[in-house]
Amino acid sequence: MVLFVIFCPIVAAILIMIGAPARKMAVAASVLTLGATLLLLASFSPEQHDFQEVTSFPISSEWHLSFTTGIDGLSLALVLLAAIVTVAAVWFAGKIDKYQNAFYACLLFISGGAIGAFASLDLFFFYAFHELALIPTFLLIGIWGGGNRVAAAWKITIYLAIGSFILLLGLILLYQSVPTASRSFDIRALKAAASLGQISGDAQRHIYLLLLIGFGILTSLFPFHTWAPEAYAAAPAPAAMLHAGILKKFGLYGLLRLAIPLLPEGARHWTNLLVLLLLGNIIYVGLVTIAQKRLDWMLGYSSVMHIGYIFLGIASASILGVTGAVVLMFAHGLSIALLFALAGELRKRTGTLVFEELGGLAKVMPFAGLAFGLGAFAAIGLPGFANFAGEIMIFFGAFKNGWEIGRFHIFQIATVLALWGMVISTVYMLRAYRKVFMGALNERWTGLVDLRSALRVPVTLLVGALLCYGFFPQSFVRMTTPAFRTYLTANK
Amino acid sequence: MITAPLLEVGVLVLGMVILMFEAFATKIDKRILAFAAIAGLAIVLVATFFVAPVPSPNQATGFWNFYTVDRLSVFFKQFALLTTILVLIMMIDYAPAVRSSFPGAHDGLGEFFTVPIFTCAGLMYLVSAIDFIFIFVSLELVTISFYVLVSFTRKNPVTLEAGVKYLVLSALSTAFLVYGIAWIFGVTGQTNLQRITEALATPSTDQSATLLGMVLVLVALGFKIAAVPFQIWVPDVYQGAPTPVTAYLSVGSKAAGFVVLLRVLRPFATLPQMQRLLVLIALLTLIYGNLAALPQGNLKRLLAYSSIAHTGYLLIGVVCLDSNAVVFYLVAYLLMTHLSFAVLVIVAQQTGEQIADFDGLAKRSPFLAFAMLIGMVSLAGVPFTAGFLGKFFIFYAAILQRQIALVVIGVITVGCGFYYYLKVVRAMYWQPAAKIDNISVSTLSRIAIGALIAATIWLGVYPQPILDALKR
Amino acid sequence: MITLGDYLIVSGILFAIGFAGVMLRRNLIIILMSLELMLNAANLSLVAFSRFRVSPAGLPNYNAQVFVFFIITVAAAEVAVGLAILVALFRARQTTDVKDISELKF
Amino acid sequence: MPPFLFWLFASLMLVFGAAVVLNRNPVASALSLVVSFLGLAALFMSLDAYFVGIIQVLVYAGAVMVLFLFIIMLLNLRAEEGRRINWLAATGGIVVALILVIQIFSVIGHFQAARQTFPSLERSTTDDVWNIGALLFSNYNLPFQIVGVLVLVATIGVVLLSKREPR
């Protein structure tokens, strides 16, 4: 089943490149993937601590390299996110002017690559699938992007290529840090070695730093975030949805999957650094976001800012905070995808996203206005949306962090500052909503029509998922928490 | 089972027969000779899989003093044969350019197809050579046949200038090689690598004199593999030489250089200065190759600088003395370089060899554009291509040896690589085409390019066959 | 008495003279001649070593002299090909000066 | 060989070797090359390498030199007129050459064996040519044959490259 979920988009992408009808095939494949993921969700037993649905194909016995896939609560959450966002993105894509087949193939490659990375239990394929998803992103921005697409594509290419090679170095070091006898690319084997204390403290500190920088670049951790807003502003809407919604979560997933469980000593050592950087994300980037004059840039910066909260949850290393981080990853993926989709649709219709030129659009596009409002509320973290649950858990988890560091430590200060970040995000989101959808309607836009009913499907899907897990976060928490219980309790 | 020396004899006989046939059958289409050569080399290639084992170098006598048959050498004989076959396929596409250089309709073409066979024999001898005299002789066979090939389209002054530059600098490197060998012989009294190792183990051997000899040999090999600062000939010669010959130079000649380097370095690995020197050369090569490639607008020249850059990555593997990583990288390099050159040969005859001439290739020939795409992303090092695994094994070895400087510079230059390789992709897919016409590709080339694409991806996903072939 | 070192010094100087010739001169014919000087410097070292490393039978080490024989052959072949390229180049361009060959930039 | 003869031939070789590099006129360079190689051949003889010495005279004075002179005459090359020298390249070349010489000298200075004189030889029952020939056709048969192929390839190349165009 896991294999089907990974390869359904990839095979569909190949078929589309060969010449299958692009849109039908892509929608069918993404819906099938979502269906299969829901089946996985239904058959998943949260009580079990281990990986489930494991399949393995040996590649190289000498290197202990095999293509192994499997899921636990953490990966299942992200696979589910990927499946939902893929359906929405593919549905939203509509008709493409040039190279339609290639466009849909790229979208499906991103989706398949991301799911593959989330479901791989093998370091090598974990890395390789992510790279497989990155290349189509570059192409999507370079070929179909708008605005300053070439510059944006170059920037993201160089940035992410260097980031992923730094990550590769970290992974190789991780592989080499365990004694020769237990060397393996299998994450489970590495975890076993780590729990036996076979990775020395020194090695942990070095490797964690490399992984933090590598994943940090991929995830736009301050100060490596500058590629993100530019790329999202230039990217076509479905590409921005997929990258900001799914692919950027890869770095966070990597930290949760590898860095914390395998390198607790390293994580502890670099906690202060990480907290400082994520405050940069929340406060500095938040303030920069307020200053933006265009909707797409604002959304790009806001996605960078919200990553800061997720990093806070990861840094806290408490079960509550980490689970909150997963919930927020999921919720943020959905809400940012929703916002990028609507922004892309606005750009398609009006040709501009500059705040000064827009205004009062809710009068002509009530459905889009409503959806954007819900997305904005979700992004702010109002109760009722999944984001709220995630942020609350992160704040509590961070305040009473898993390192058991006493009062008035950097964590408490960070939590208080991060709460101010909520205010910042409220300011820029509501300001954007007011500038775009409220106020006097510009003459130029009186002829605009609202979203067609076909486009309402993905919007409804995303909003529905947000609300569903907003009201019932408990089902989500029950699914993901066991994934952390084993090693985070051991931390204490 | 056959004995290994028969392979080279087979290749040489093939060359002579085709040469004779060429001389007497004047009326035929000379391209038939190329097909015959490809078929003959393919037969030898098959035969390489049935090679009988031979005495180990310790108890070697006579003939086996010079010639060894280990896994590495058999593997590289296959490598040389495969490269030559691919180059011959490219040469068939390149035939019109050769025809225009000679007075008769088919003059010169027969030799154009025959000389690579002798080069191939030279390469095959070279990878088996374990004696400095034999290394010298077979290296010169390769080099002299390359002199002829590089300046083959003799009416084109650019080609001839490339030939002159190649000749002067190669001869210079030969002089260094010979002088270095003289010193090593003088210190140890031996030319056989195994005996040199034994002689160096005795404490009475003079260290500094040995080092001088080895550095001189290293300079010579540095010319062959295009390492900085001995790379000055590369851009001009690569750009000026006939394109199939460029591909041959950048793959065959370089691979042979690395095999010799690996073999020659082994006795001297105990000298600590040696490693420091190699690290320095590798760093310079990585930085120069990648930075100089950035502004290039001519694809052939770009590939020349990229070939210098790849020498840098290969040298990382050499510094770590990890021959398996080097060999895997070379195999990946063979696949992706031939892929890019095969497309280049075809496209260059239609429009030109500037990157701008590739504008809109995706519209003109989706197949060629896709092949170039795979070649470029593999050269850049994207996962699921052979190029990535090559870099992976190299970096793995470097991290294991804690060569921090090499790893850091390596990663930064990989980023540069992404920039200039994807420049080609950008031209093919993102730019509008200057002229819309379909490019026709011959069936043989189509098969060869298809096979190269498949192999690049296959090795990127499943490298075990190569690893196995090296281990047994 | 003349030592091995004297021969080696003479050969080293000859090698350097040849090298300087390759680097300094722009005339291809003279570059080829300088290359010959370098190769022959190596030959001199080889023969000196061959005479110095006397075999157990009390004869010079003939391996090195065989090598010298090969080097002379290869050098002659190299010169022949080099001069042939030169002739072709002269027909195409009417020059043998490296500096005039500058269509390809360094 | 008495030391003064050694120094005579060595200085002959070096002086005329330098003349090859320094002469403006290619013909003069070629003739200097002959003299230099004659000196070298004499040095070979002084090392009891008669065969190599004779080969040296035959191949260089006989064949290579004729080839050089022939090409110089054929292409009608004249002396270079006072060309401006590229001083940067020239100093670079001289510096590298000097470093090379210094390196070689310092290595020779440290090299124990370099201070020793040559050991005396036994009288051989067979002569030089026989000994080298025996090695060439037994032990070195394989490289010898490859050199044959090399010469074949060189011949093909020379014929092709210098083939005349019909007018």
Side-chain angles (χ1 to χ4, degrees):
Chain A
M1 200 51 130
V2 177
L3 288 180
F4 177 80
V5 175
I6 298 175
F7 284 105
C8 181
I10 294 180
V11 170
I14 293 171
L15 286 180
I16 288 173
M17 281 178 91
I18 293 171
R23 185 168 168 79
K24 279 180 198 151
M25 188 79 200
V27 171
S30 56
V31 170
L32 259 181
T33 311
L34 179 57
T37 313
L38 291 176
L39 278 181
L40 267 183
L41 185 64
S43 66
F44 183 78
S45 57
E47 289 76 31
Q48 213 178 319
H49 282 197
D50 225 2
F51 288 93
Q52 301 174 26
E53 306 253 1
V54 177
T55 40
S56 183
F57 304 94
I59 298 272
S60 165
S61 55
E62 184 186 350
W63 289 76
H64 291 281
L65 175 62
S66 57
F67 177 50
T68 311
T69 57
I71 46 167
D72 62 354
L74 174 59
S75 20
L76 183 59
L78 287 159
V79 171
L80 182 64
L81 168 69
I84 295 174
V85 175
T86 308
V87 172
V90 169
W91 206 301
F92 230 91
K95 191 155 172 53
I96 307 301
D97 301 334
K98 48 176 183 181
Y99 310 121
Q100 173 150 318
N101 282 30
F103 185 87
Y104 278 101
C106 281
L107 290 185
L108 289 178
F109 265 123
I110 297 183
S111 161
I115 295 176
F118 293 142
S120 286
L121 291 188
D122 185 275
L123 277 191
F124 186 84
F125 284 91
F126 163 80
Y127 176 81
F129 267 118
H130 171 252
E131 286 283 300
L132 180 70
L134 271 186
I135 302 300
T137 318
F138 305 151
L139 294 180
L140 279 173
I141 295 175
I143 303 177
W144 293 278
N148 197 0
R149 63 186 163 101
V150 177
W154 280 134
K155 200 165 180 182
I156 186 175
T157 308
I158 306 299
Y159 243 107
L160 297 194
I162 291 185
S164 47
F165 264 86
I166 292 176
L167 171 61
L168 180 66
L169 294 187
L171 295 183
I172 294 178
L173 261 179
L174 180 62
Y175 174 77
Q176 290 174 350
S177 64
V178 291
T180 325
S182 48
R183 238 170 236 182
S184 169
F185 279 103
D186 194 316
I187 291 175
R188 291 166 301 171
L190 284 174
K191 212 177 257 181
S195 65
L196 292 176
Q198 288 179 331
I199 307 179
S200 73
D202 245 8
Q204 286 195 24
R205 282 190 278 277
H206 296 151
I207 300 169
Y208 185 85
L209 188 62
L210 274 179
L211 290 186
L212 186 64
I213 295 174
F215 283 131
I217 292 177
L218 298 179
T219 319
S220 67
L221 176 65
F222 178 85
F224 311 114
H225 66 276
T226 49
W227 57 269
E230 193 171 349
Y232 292 147
M241 289 166 75
L242 284 177
H243 194 273
I246 313 173
L247 209 53
K248 226 162 95 178
K249 305 295 179 289
F250 167 80
L252 303 164
Y253 171 78
L255 282 178
L256 284 177
R257 171 65 75 220
L258 299 175
I260 313 274
L262 300 184
L263 313 164
E265 184 50 42
R268 189 187 191 95
H269 185 81
W270 294 107
T271 294
N272 287 355
L273 175 71
L274 178 56
V275 171
L276 280 180
L277 294 184
L278 68 88
L279 280 179
N281 267 56
I282 294 176
I283 304 296
Y284 173 76
V285 177
L287 293 175
V288 171
T289 315
I290 294 182
Q292 294 308 308
K293 294 192 168 58
R294 290 171 53 99
L295 183 60
D296 46 1
W297 279 78
M298 190 223 88
L299 287 180
Y301 272 111
S302 90
S303 92
V304 175
M305 178 201 172
H306 283 116
I307 293 293
Y309 292 115
I310 305 176
F311 270 114
L312 182 60
I314 294 173
S316 76
S318 64
I319 291 185
L320 191 61
V322 170
T323 312
V326 180
V327 175
L328 188 56
M329 274 157 84
F330 184 82
H332 174 255
L334 294 175
S335 61
I336 199 75
L338 176 64
L339 292 173
F340 270 124
L342 292 167
E345 202 53 35
L346 279 182
R347 180 166 56 192
K348 207 189 266 175
R349 281 154 203 246
T350 63
T352 178
L353 285 176
V354 179
F355 287 141
E356 294 305 318
E357 299 179 24
L358 297 168
L361 293 185
K363 294 193 180 93
V364 282
M365 307 170 76
F367 182 82
L370 175 66
F372 194 93
L374 290 176
F377 287 155
I380 297 166
L382 288 192
F385 294 96
N387 305 52
F388 172 72
E391 285 178 13
I392 283 297
M393 287 162 78
I394 288 175
F395 288 141
F396 281 115
F399 202 83
K400 184 185 178 306
N401 52 72
W403 306 116
E404 296 275 297
I405 302 171
R407 259 153 230 245
F408 296 110
H409 176 262
I410 188 161
F411 261 120
Q412 278 76 36
I413 300 167
T415 315
V416 173
L417 286 175
L419 276 166
W420 276 98
M422 301 276 294
V423 176
I424 295 177
S425 67
T426 314
V427 169
Y428 64 69
M429 274 297 173
L430 290 182
R431 177 171 160 271
Y433 186 74
R434 188 169 55 82
K435 295 240 174 184
V436 177
F437 288 99
M438 298 291 156
L441 182 65
N442 190 324
E443 293 282 309
R444 283 155 71 193
W445 316 128
T446 44
L448 288 181
V449 284
D450 204 359
L451 300 187
R452 280 173 292 113
S453 56
L455 285 185
R456 296 184 183 187
V457 176
V459 172
T460 317
L461 177 69
L462 293 173
V463 173
L466 272 175
L467 287 174
C468 167
Y469 282 107
F471 282 105
F472 307 105
Q474 206 44 44
S475 62
F476 203 86
V477 171
R478 211 179 300 131
M479 179 170 86
T480 50
T481 311
F484 309 113
R485 194 154 281 152
T486 39
Y487 56 86
L488 282 184
T489 44
N491 252 350
K492 287 194 175 177
Chain B
M1 288 309 233
I2 53 170
T3 52
L6 276 181
L7 298 172
E8 284 91 355
V9 173
V11 174
L12 286 177
V13 168
L14 177 74
M16 310 265 180
V17 167
I18 289 180
L19 202 57
M20 284 292 150
F21 194 69
E22 199 274 328
F24 292 111
T26 46
K27 293 282 189 292
I28 55 162
D29 182 353
K30 290 290 163 65
R31 277 178 294 185
I32 292 172
L33 298 174
F35 290 117
I38 291 169
L41 291 176
I43 292 170
V44 180
L45 181 58
V46 172
T48 52
F49 290 96
F50 304 98
V51 169
V54 290
S56 72
N58 293 327
Q59 60 230 21
T61 52
F63 179 80
W64 302 108
N65 267 328
F66 301 103
Y67 187 100
T68 182
V69 188
D70 50 11
R71 283 308 306 169
L72 197 67
S73 64
V74 174
F75 189 85
F76 271 100
K77 284 182 208 294
Q78 291 158 354
F79 188 95
L81 285 163
L82 187 65
T83 310
T84 315
I85 290 172
L86 291 170
V87 167
L88 281 168
I89 292 173
M90 270 186 246
M91 283 178 161
I92 296 173
D93 283 324
Y94 198 76
V98 174
R99 271 200 205 118
S100 63
S101 305
F102 290 93
H106 284 303
D107 268 11
L109 211 48
E111 288 85 350
F112 192 54
F113 298 139
T114 321
V115 176
I117 304 178
F118 293 114
T119 318
C120 178
L123 290 172
M124 289 168 73
Y125 277 124
L126 190 55
V127 298
S128 274
I130 49 167
D131 183 286
F132 269 122
I133 295 181
F134 193 53
I135 288 175
F136 167 76
V137 168
S138 36
L139 192 62
E140 285 309 300
L141 174 56
V142 174
T143 312
I144 290 203
S145 56
F146 268 125
Y147 295 159
V148 178
L149 285 173
V150 167
S151 33
F152 211 93
T153 46
R154 55 171 200 167
K155 272 192 186 160
N156 182 355
V158 180
T159 303
L160 285 172
E161 285 156 19
V164 167
K165 273 185 186 150
Y166 184 59
L167 179 112
V168 169
L169 288 163
S170 279
L172 189 63
S173 85
T174 303
F176 275 100
L177 179 72
V178 170
Y179 197 50
I181 295 175
W183 270 99
I184 292 172
F185 170 81
V187 177
T188 61
Q190 303 290 347
T191 53
N192 179 292
L193 290 174
Q194 181 67 32
R195 309 258 167 69
I196 289 176
T197 315
E198 286 158 16
L200 285 178
T202 56
S204 64
T205 320
D206 188 280
Q207 288 269 324
S208 60
T210 321
L211 201 66
L212 174 69
M214 193 53 216
V215 168
L216 291 168
V217 170
L218 209 61
V219 169
L221 291 176
F223 275 105
K224 303 287 179 216
I225 62 173
V228 174
F230 316 112
Q231 87 302 345
I232 37 171
W233 58 279
V234 171
D236 288 348
V237 173
Y238 277 30
Q239 191 186 343
T243 311
V245 178
T246 310
Y248 206 8
L249 261 182
S250 81
V251 177
S253 159
K254 175 172 293 191
F258 270 101
V259 179
V260 175
L261 190 60
L262 280 175
R263 280 203 202 286
V264 167
L265 273 183
R266 200 141 284 167
F268 300 92
T270 46
L271 303 176
Q273 299 96 320
M274 218 56 234
Q275 204 188 22
R276 257 174 271 152
L277 189 66
L278 278 172
V279 168
L280 185 67
I281 293 179
L283 281 177
L284 288 175
T285 311
L286 278 173
I287 294 171
Y288 177 84
N290 280 298
L291 289 189
L294 286 176
Q296 296 307 322
N298 180 305
L299 184 57
K300 237 166 136 181
R301 223 174 156 79
L302 175 79
L303 285 172
Y305 284 110
S306 111
S307 132
I308 299 175
H310 285 283
T311 298
Y313 296 116
L314 283 161
L315 276 174
I316 297 180
V318 172
V319 169
C320 304
L321 279 178
D322 187 338
S323 62
N324 281 5
V326 173
V327 172
F328 191 90
Y329 201 98
L330 280 171
V331 173
Y333 182 70
L334 167 124
L335 295 173
M336 53 212 193
T337 309
H338 272 307
L339 197 52
S340 343
F341 275 108
V343 178
L344 178 62
V345 167
I346 297 167
V347 176
Q349 294 193 347
Q350 304 277 335
T351 39
E353 41 189 59
Q354 300 292 325
I355 293 179
D357 294 321
F358 281 73
D359 283 356
L361 186 66
K363 283 229 178 73
R364 296 166 63 199
S365 167
F367 176 70
L368 288 181
F370 182 69
M372 200 62 162
L373 172 72
I374 297 293
M376 287 296 141
V377 295
S378 180
L379 283 169
V382 169
F384 297 113
T385 58
F388 170 73
L389 273 182
K391 287 207 172 69
F392 175 82
F393 289 135
I394 294 279
F395 281 130
Y396 183 86
I399 293 175
L400 202 61
Q401 305 262 332
R402 294 289 183 271
Q403 298 282 359
I404 303 298
L406 285 175
V407 169
V408 169
I409 296 295
V411 167
I412 292 172
T413 52
V414 165
C416 294
F418 266 82
Y419 177 79
Y420 58 80
Y421 290 122
L422 291 185
K423 216 158 73 172
V424 182
V425 176
R426 177 177 72 170
M428 292 190 303
Y429 284 92
W430 307 358
Q431 308 281 9
K435 62 175 190 178
I436 305 288
D437 57 335
N438 287 324
I439 300 176
S440 64
V441 185
S442 71
T443 318
L444 190 59
S445 301
R446 201 173 271 273
I447 293 171
I449 292 176
L452 284 171
I453 294 175
T456 307
I457 295 174
W458 174 246
L459 277 190
V461 178
Y462 192 69
Q464 198 55 27
I466 300 287
L467 299 177
D468 279 345
L470 289 169
K471 205 166 40 177
R472 251 181 294 139
Chain C
M1 283 302 280
I2 302 298
T3 58
L4 174 65
D6 297 335
Y7 279 94
L8 293 180
I9 286 172
V10 169
S11 117
I13 296 174
L14 188 62
F15 191 82
I17 290 175
F19 182 72
V22 175
M23 301 302 283
L24 297 183
R25 293 308 297 262
R26 297 271 150 246
N27 189 318
L28 266 175
I29 292 229
I30 299 193
I31 289 180
L32 284 179
M33 290 182 198
S34 307
L35 287 168
E36 293 302 308
L37 285 180
M38 291 175 77
L39 283 173
N40 279 290
N43 282 351
L44 182 57
S45 292
L46 272 172
V47 174
F49 282 128
S50 134
R51 176 67 182 75
F52 184 75
R53 301 262 165 208
V54 171
S55 67
L59 296 175
N61 190 329
Y62 282 115
N63 289 315
Q65 298 201 16
V66 171
F67 189 29
V68 170
F69 173 78
F70 288 145
I71 294 172
I72 292 177
T73 319
V74 167
E78 225 158 47
V79 168
V81 177
L83 291 177
I85 296 177
L86 209 65
V87 171
L89 186 66
F90 193 77
R91 282 198 188 128
R93 294 288 297 275
Q94 301 280 314
T95 182
T96 57
D97 194 321
V98 172
K99 212 160 68 187
D100 292 344
I101 310 172
S102 52
E103 219 152 89
L104 302 162
K105 51 206 169 297
F106 263 100
Chain D
M1 180 182 271
F4 90 90
L5 272 184
F6 167 79
W7 291 115
L8 175 70
F9 286 123
S11 48
L12 194 72
M13 182 185 79
L14 290 180
V15 167
F16 279 89
V20 171
V21 175
L22 296 176
N23 255 318
R24 279 235 181 99
N25 189 337
V27 180
S29 287
L31 294 175
S32 310
L33 191 66
V34 183
V35 180
S36 174
F37 283 172
L38 287 177
L40 184 63
L43 290 183
F44 285 161
M45 306 267 189
S46 78
L47 290 165
D48 300 287
Y50 299 102
F51 175 69
V52 175
I54 289 169
I55 289 272
Q56 178 81 9
V57 174
L58 287 180
V59 172
Y60 281 101
V64 172
M65 199 42 49
V66 172
L67 200 57
F68 269 120
L69 290 175
F70 182 72
I71 294 293
I72 293 169
M73 303 301 174
L74 179 79
L75 303 185
N76 197 17
L77 299 180
R78 289 195 204 92
E80 299 167 62
E81 271 106 59
R83 262 186 204 288
R84 301 250 320 261
I85 301 173
N86 181 356
W87 285 110
L88 190 72
T91 21
I94 288 175
V95 166
V96 176
L98 273 180
I99 292 174
L100 197 68
V101 172
I102 293 167
Q103 272 299 319
I104 293 170
F105 275 24
S106 76
V107 167
I108 293 171
H110 290 110
F111 192 27
Q112 286 297 326
R115 268 166 244 146
Q116 297 164 19
T117 52
F118 293 96
S120 60
L121 292 183
E122 301 289 318
R123 281 204 67 80
S124 171
T125 51
T126 50
D127 54 24
D128 217 25
V129 183
W130 195 95
N131 290 336
I132 292 177
L135 260 183
L136 209 51
F137 288 103
S138 62
N139 221 352
Y140 287 88
N141 202 353
L142 180 66
F144 187 56
Q145 298 198 26
I146 296 175
V147 170
V149 178
L150 185 151
V151 173
L152 171 71
V153 173
T155 316
I156 296 173
V158 170
V159 170
L160 268 176
L161 287 171
S162 47
K163 204 189 267 179
R164 253 192 129 67
E165 298 273 313
R167 308 238 157 189

